[in-house]
Amino acid sequence: MDRLPPHIVEYIISYTIGRGRLVPGLLTNTYTPTVPHALFSLMGVCQKWRDTAKRFIGEPAIVFVNPPKPTRLGKSEHAYYLGDVIAAGLEQRVRHLLLDFTVEDIRDGIAYSMFNSLVSQCKGKFRNVHTITLHTSLRDSYYWIYNRQTGLPVIRLQELANMEKEVSQNARRIGDLVREAMPSVVSVAYIGPYNHTLDSTSLNSAILSALLAAAPSIQYLSIPVGELSRTILDNVLAPNITQMHAFLPVGKSDGITVLAIRYADRLETLSVDAIDDESFIMLFKSPADGSPVVYSKLHTFKLTRSNFWTRGEDSYTLKVNPFPKLRQFICKGDFPFATSDMFRWIQPTVEVMKVHLLVGMYKTFVREGVFATGSYPNLRYMDLAWSLPRDRFMDIDLAWELSRLVSLSPVLEKGSFKVCTTSPKREVTAMSTHGFVKELNLAGIHYTIVEAVHLIKRFPALQLLVLMLKNSDDVNERGDMTDADTERFQQRYVALGNSRFKKLCVRCNGFYSYSRAAHHILLLASIFRSIEEIRVCSEYRDSTRDILAAFDMAKNRKCFDSDGRGRIRSVRIAVIDRRSKWF
């Protein structure tokens, strides 16, 4: 085994644990790659295997102080206990440390004792840790808060006050260990207990305050779960934060929004998960006097919006531009503002824009002029999705709107325009030519092969296209085409070829067999001879083998190798899930 070449050893390890080597980098999320259990046993083969395996425990490796709880941490079977990492002599490679404690463990000093014991075993060897994630939970929140028979609270206010005091004291002790042993921490994530029957804001604030005090140089702060008190966090904590991610709870506590506003003049990235309009709009109002809040240095804003409760059109009427230097504007879920002002404000600066609009709102914004040709001079990537209320029909001309949207910027390179429709109102041949777009995602629009050919022609710089391919009654597409039919089609359209077009992602609609769909897709590839890879979206997980077999059969048809070069046979075919990011 020790005579195997290093690249073979690396391949064996990669195959065994089911992933490649980890890429170094700063972690800015709480769900990161973990250390597979099998990796440590592979390290015992010999020194060569040990050295190779260590590359898979790179900067993003997670280790646990306590065994993880599967219900909260997902794939816990791949997580590994910190003590075992220390025993393997790999503690110096740790970059991300995940601490998993219950509030009761912190209160009783158990968490401190356990953590102190582990840290003392390897003094000076955790100085490369740059990310700390702290999970806290209530050991048994149902029994702790309520009596099962009476339904009345078990804990009294005085008991809660005493608990907060003890938790705060021991959290500071844990913070002191972090500050001494891990002076390089620049990223902190806190996931606190969240319970509708208990006001946990003081507990969360006490623990987070201790964590921030332990890492005075942190730049990134994430609070994906938990509520905070608006008064407990010290104003001097974490003065260097430039990136923040937070969950905004429903109206109960505004401590997190107050924290974001505190950093408004220094934040460069702000990502929020919001549930209702009320909590979201608080980001733009000063808690002192309701005056507008401006995030003067923010260049990236991301909103994940789900289950929003509409509170009237005036809820989001902003008076001033909150993002004067914004370069990335990303909204997952319906567009949260009632007016087009936000689009108008960000026009001069935005480079990446991902939004979801109701068709009615989009039409209103078009009339107000915020989607005029050339109005976004720096926009390089746009992802726009339309949606309709139930029982409504798409009443916009998609060919025209596509032409409008790809004309928004003279430097647009990537466009994704998603809307479900089977019949565009006009032929795509009516579009003007756009020579700068390199990637185009039209996953919701159904095209025949003729329409797809003309579409690609309009984008001479196109390198990647995502679309829906449908059958039609066109004479060149009706029924199972013979080789002669295929060759006539090729001769008619081959002059439209695009030499830069490399990758096609396609989902088929209306084809009664995989063989016919494969024939149509390869026919498109025979027109655009630069295509190197085709990804086919499958509706069913068990259809991959049948789809690939259909392509293998279609590739051998003589009409796809008229010059004898075998180009179509060399095109890579892959089957992807319908939940892929492309669709």
Side-chain angles (χ1 to χ4, degrees), residues 17-196:
I17 68 175
R19 72 156 191 233
R21 280 191 295 166
L22 298 176
V23 179
L26 175 65
L27 295 176
T28 56
N29 61 67
T30 57
Y31 302 101
T32 47
T34 54
V35 181
H37 189 281
L39 193 58
F40 289 92
S41 59
L42 293 174
M43 294 176 65
V45 175
C46 65
Q47 186 61 43
K48 179 188 291 186
W49 282 61
R50 177 183 175 85
D51 293 340
T52 303
K54 282 199 277 188
R55 302 172 191 168
F56 291 79
I57 310 180
E59 294 186 359
I62 295 179
V63 289
F64 290 82
V65 171
N66 275 341
K69 298 172 177 56
T71 56
R72 294 191 297 114
L73 300 181
K75 298 181 178 180
S76 59
E77 67 274 12
H78 294 314
Y80 223 77
Y81 177 57
L82 175 58
D84 294 323
V85 176
I86 294 173
L90 298 174
E91 61 270 30
Q92 288 183 310
R93 299 188 66 84
V94 175
R95 301 293 184 270
H96 183 140
L97 189 61
L98 172 56
L99 310 177
D100 186 6
F101 300 138
T102 66
V103 173
E104 294 88 341
D105 285 341
I106 298 176
R107 176 196 62 191
D108 299 336
I110 297 173
Y112 169 79
S113 297
M114 181 181 296
F115 188 40
N116 182 43
S117 174
L118 291 170
V119 170
S120 61
Q121 294 179 41
C122 42
K123 289 185 177 180
K125 295 184 179 181
F126 283 142
R127 294 187 172 275
N128 293 323
V129 172
H130 58 51
T131 303
I132 292 284
T133 297
L134 175 58
H135 284 247
T136 62
S137 62
L138 297 171
R139 185 178 297 149
D140 194 337
S141 59
Y142 185 87
Y143 288 101
W144 187 66
I145 299 169
Y146 277 102
N147 179 286
R148 181 184 289 272
Q149 294 179 343
T150 67
L152 298 175
V154 172
I155 190 168
R156 299 182 178 86
L157 292 178
Q158 185 57 48
E159 294 177 29
L160 181 60
N162 292 337
M163 183 176 192
E164 291 170 0
K165 181 179 179 181
E166 293 167 350
V167 166
S168 180
Q169 290 174 345
N170 284 303
R172 285 197 295 269
R173 296 172 69 199
I174 294 172
D176 291 340
L177 285 177
V178 171
R179 183 171 54 251
E180 180 179 354
M182 306 163 199
S184 302
V185 171
V186 294
S187 177
V188 166
Y190 175 66
I191 304 173
Y194 182 78
N195 193 296
H196 295 290

Side-chain angles (χ1 to χ4, degrees), residues 456-562:
I456 297 168
K457 173 187 174 183
R458 300 296 169 181
F459 297 90
L462 196 66
Q463 299 175 9
L464 180 151
L465 174 65
V466 183
L467 83 165
M468 304 271 284
L469 194 63
K470 66 177 181 179
N471 206 349
S472 77
D473 294 330
D474 187 278
V475 66
N476 290 312
E477 302 177 56
R478 186 174 56 231
D480 293 320
M481 287 186 291
T482 65
D483 284 358
D485 291 330
T486 301
E487 289 171 358
R488 281 194 294 270
F489 189 94
Q490 292 169 330
Q491 291 169 3
R492 181 179 177 184
Y493 291 108
V494 71
L496 303 179
N498 177 343
S499 62
R500 301 181 183 181
F501 191 24
K502 302 295 183 183
K503 183 182 294 185
L504 173 67
C505 301
V506 59
R507 180 193 290 177
C508 294
N509 184 62
F511 293 91
Y512 71 80
S513 69
Y514 293 135
S515 61
R516 180 179 292 184
H519 191 144
H520 279 69
I521 295 171
L522 291 181
L523 179 55
L524 193 59
S526 70
I527 299 298
F528 299 99
R529 298 179 179 178
S530 57
I531 291 180
E532 298 175 352
E533 181 179 356
I534 298 174
R535 295 188 179 184
V536 183
C537 178
S538 172
E539 298 288 339
Y540 309 102
R541 292 184 178 180
D542 57 355
S543 61
T544 298
R545 181 180 299 177
D546 293 337
I547 292 174
L548 293 177
F551 272 93
D552 287 340
M553 183 177 297
K555 280 183 175 184
N556 290 319
R557 295 186 64 159
K558 183 179 178 180
C559 58
F560 291 138
D561 192 24
S562 57

